[in-house]
């Protein structure tokens, strides 16, 4: 893989970058690195957006491959402090990044992909994983974070088996590469050379030429796209309504238990 002649280089904040090369005709490799672990910060998403825009509007349609220049991590997820500080981060930055792209995309997962990092990989059309290093994991359960509706939808619609969805969400399982391909989370194992072979084998070059590739993806993932487009405001209203309904049910249940205790002369268990 010749990385010596970048098509363009974009900075990520003070110390990171996205480098775009063309290792094969009409195959665009985005190599991102934002130390220490490629967190999905506002600056990271902004640079990623611009890279996609440049390829989309200034280069012939082909195949997009994203991977990390940090060998240990593809991406370790969100930077929660930066997310909290940035008003509208999800609907204005992260969700639009997941919502595109009008050509075939492959995530070359060279290391760990956790939480939003895994979600970003899942929103690619295909995934190739390093067979020797890295875990795939949704660890929201471990640090007490609820999944937003668009996030859960990604896995509900893209994972081929509901038991894998359950294991990923409710057990925070760390999937090795061999487990990931067995469960249908990734499509292949290997490095750049294997990814290049996958592109040829799947005949991905030329898929975007007719102009409908992106529209077909939107229809395939209609549920997830709808959630991404709605943003957080609608979801927060739904959560508030569910919370109020749950509180009402809980209060009613407690009253029924208290009545049972009174009728039967029981004290609290």
């Amino acid at each position: 893989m010749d990385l010596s002649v970048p098509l363009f280089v974009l900075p990520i904040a003070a110390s990171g970058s996205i480098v775009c090369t063309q290792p094969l005709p009409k195959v665009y490799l985005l190599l991102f690195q934002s130390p220490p672990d490629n967190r999905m910060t506002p600056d990271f998403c902004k640079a990623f957006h611009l890279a996609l825009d440049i390829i989309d509007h200034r280069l012939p349609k082909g195949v997009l491959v994203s991977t990390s220049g940090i060998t240990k991590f593809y991406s370790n997820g969100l930077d929660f402090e930066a997310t909290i500080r940035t008003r509208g981060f999800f609907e204005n930055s992260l969700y639009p990044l997941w919502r595109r792209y009008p050509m075939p995309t492959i995530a070359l997962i060279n290391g760990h992909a956790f939480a939003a990092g895994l979600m970003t990989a899942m929103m690619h059309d295909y995934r190739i994983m390093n067979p020797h290093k890295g875990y795939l994991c949704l660890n929201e359960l471990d640090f007490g974070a609820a999944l937003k509706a668009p996030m859960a939808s990604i896995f509900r619609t893209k994972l081929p088996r509901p038991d894998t969805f359950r294991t990923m969400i409710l057990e925070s399982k760390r999937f090795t590469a061999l487990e990931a391909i067995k469960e249908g989370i990734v499509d292949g194992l290997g490095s750049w050379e294997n990814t290049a072979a996958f592109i040829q084998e799947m005949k991905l070059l030329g898929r975007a030429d007719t102009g409908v590739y992106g529209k077909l993806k939107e229809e395939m993932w209609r549920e997830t796209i709808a959630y991404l487009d709605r943003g957080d405001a609608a979801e927060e209203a739904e959560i508030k309504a569910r919370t109020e309904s749950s509180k009402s049910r809980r209060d009613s249940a407690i009253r029924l238990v208290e009545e049972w205790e009174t009728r039967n002369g029981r004290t609290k268990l």
Side-chain angles (χ1 to χ4, degrees):
M1 177 173 49
D2 183 8
L3 300 181
S4 61
V5 185
L7 297 177
F8 59 85
V9 179
L10 303 176
I12 302 175
S15 58
S17 66
I18 295 182
V19 179
C20 179
T21 57
Q22 189 175 199
L24 295 171
K26 297 200 297 183
V27 175
Y28 308 110
L29 178 67
L30 291 182
L31 182 74
F32 51 77
Q33 46 189 345
S34 182
D37 53 4
N38 291 331
R39 295 276 177 169
M40 306 291 294
T41 64
D43 287 331
F44 183 99
C45 292
K46 181 179 180 180
F48 210 142
H49 272 292
L50 180 55
L52 296 179
D53 285 338
I54 292 170
I55 295 170
D56 189 14
H57 299 293
R58 290 294 181 266
L59 295 169
K61 295 290 186 291
V63 176
L64 175 76
V65 180
S66 77
T67 195
S68 168
I70 299 173
T71 57
K72 185 176 180 180
F73 294 97
Y74 179 80
S75 172
N76 206 18
L78 296 177
D79 180 326
F80 281 98
E81 291 185 3
T83 299
I84 293 170
R85 289 196 308 267
T86 307
R87 184 177 179 85
F89 169 74
F90 290 100
E91 57 265 41
N92 297 327
S93 188
L94 187 63
Y95 292 169
L97 181 64
W98 289 346
R99 198 198 179 300
R100 33 192 320 168
Y101 198 56
M103 64 178 71
T105 57
I106 302 174
L108 176 51
I109 307 171
N110 58 299
H112 301 310
F114 275 50
L118 176 55
M119 297 171 199
T120 301
M122 291 297 297
M123 286 305 289
H124 290 64
D125 301 326
Y126 305 95
R127 286 156 294 285
I128 306 294
M129 186 174 178
N130 183 343
H132 307 297
K133 182 187 297 184
Y135 293 105
L136 307 183
C137 180
L138 283 185
N139 56 337
E140 278 74 5
L141 178 67
D142 298 335
F143 56 83
L147 277 177
K148 292 177 176 291
M151 297 176 173
S153 175
I154 292 170
F155 299 94
R156 185 166 53 249
T157 57
K158 288 207 165 191
L159 291 178
R161 291 170 42 184
D163 58 331
T164 305
F165 183 46
R166 178 191 62 199
T167 300
M168 185 175 282
I169 301 288
L170 297 183
E171 300 176 24
S172 294
K173 178 178 173 60
R174 297 186 176 198
F175 290 86
T176 65
L178 291 178
E179 291 170 329
I181 195 166
K182 178 181 177 182
E183 298 294 332
I185 305 170
V186 301
D187 302 282
L189 304 179
S191 60
W192 160 251
E193 288 72 19
N194 304 97
T195 304
F198 182 85
I199 292 170
Q200 299 298 326
E201 178 184 347
M202 298 295 291
K203 300 179 180 179
L204 298 183
L205 286 170
R207 296 290 191 201
D209 290 350
T210 59
V212 299
Y213 192 86
K215 293 180 174 62
L216 292 172
K217 289 199 290 186
E218 287 183 348
E219 184 57 36
M220 284 176 63
W221 313 121
R222 176 191 287 262
E223 174 192 323
T224 301
I225 295 299
Y227 279 125
L228 292 172
D229 286 347
R230 291 171 64 191
D232 284 347
E235 182 182 359
E236 288 170 0
E238 290 180 1
I239 291 173
K240 181 180 179 181
R242 287 200 303 267
T243 301
E244 292 174 351
S245 176
S246 177
K247 182 179 183 302
S248 176
R249 288 194 301 271
R250 179 179 181 276
D251 291 344
S252 177
I254 290 173
R255 284 196 300 271
L256 290 172
V257 172
E258 290 173 343
E259 290 172 3
W260 173 81
E261 290 171 337
T262 300
R263 288 195 307 269
N264 292 276
R266 301 285 296 272
T267 58
K268 292 183 178 179
L269 298 175

